[in-house]
Amino acid sequence: MQKENQGYFYFIILVVGFVFLRSGWGKVTGGKFAGSLAGTLAKFAEKNPHLWYKDFLQNVAIPNAATFALLTMWGEVLTGFALMLTSTYLLFKRGTKLIYFALLLASFGGIFLNATFWLAAGYTSASTESVNLIMFFVESAGLVFALSRLLSTK
């Protein structure tokens, strides 16, 4: 990636991080997410076209909805915070191996969260599918970028 374009990329990562942080913090402070997750997952499983994921939702996620709610809420908060922190740092300073490693982990967390939501609910509407896929590809680009910086000899 050319140096003059990196600022735009970091800003896009910052926005994705804000989306995660806002979503996760709303779940943490709202108080309703954990109690309603089993019902939401049951609705997603009803007509889910991915049979193996439907089976996962019905036999693993729904019976353990409280655990999955905690993992989702705090996963979104931590992923969002890490994406925002690393991208803000990279906007203003030269990256270090530690910052690139944090960006790599945050990007992987975002990829995982978006992939699981897309598998559960992506079929429900074009907007749900497209927004999750866009975020997924931005995070994938962040992961590849961070990995390339970590592996560079500089």
Side-chain angles (χ1 to χ4, degrees):
M1 181 181 306
Q2 293 183 8
K3 193 168 184 122
E4 58 269 3
N5 295 330
Q6 288 179 4
Y8 298 117
F9 179 65
Y10 299 148
F11 182 75
I12 292 169
I13 297 270
L14 178 70
V15 170
V16 170
F18 178 75
V19 169
F20 270 115
L21 186 61
R22 184 172 179 244
S23 174
W25 192 248
K27 289 175 176 94
V28 168
T29 60
K32 295 179 183 177
F33 179 74
S36 65
L37 185 61
T40 302
L41 293 178
K43 288 178 187 173
F44 290 159
E46 232 172 70
K47 297 179 183 176
N48 196 304
H50 312 290
L51 297 180
W52 65 274
Y53 203 75
K54 178 178 185 170
D55 185 55
F56 169 77
L57 289 173
Q58 291 173 330
N59 297 313
V60 179
I62 294 170
N64 299 295
T67 301
F68 277 84
L70 283 173
L71 291 172
T72 301
M73 291 185 298
W74 290 106
E76 288 182 2
V77 168
L78 293 173
T79 296
F81 181 73
L83 286 171
M84 290 179 68
L85 183 69
T86 56
S87 60
T88 301
Y89 184 90
L90 290 169
L91 272 169
F92 298 106
K93 296 203 177 226
R94 188 166 178 257
T96 65
K97 296 283 186 186
L98 179 63
I99 292 296
Y100 292 127
F101 185 69
L103 177 60
L104 180 100
L105 292 178
S107 296
F108 183 76
I111 288 168
F112 181 78
L113 288 164
N114 276 115
T116 56
F117 187 73
W118 180 81
L119 286 167
Y123 73 93
T124 60
S125 73
S127 61
T128 300
E129 180 178 42
S130 59
V131 168
N132 274 280
L133 288 176
I134 289 168
M135 289 176 68
F136 179 88
F137 287 117
V138 167
E139 295 147 2
S140 296
L143 185 129
V144 169
F145 175 76
L147 188 59
S148 71
R149 295 299 175 160
L150 280 172
L151 296 176
S152 72
T153 57
K154 292 182 183 180

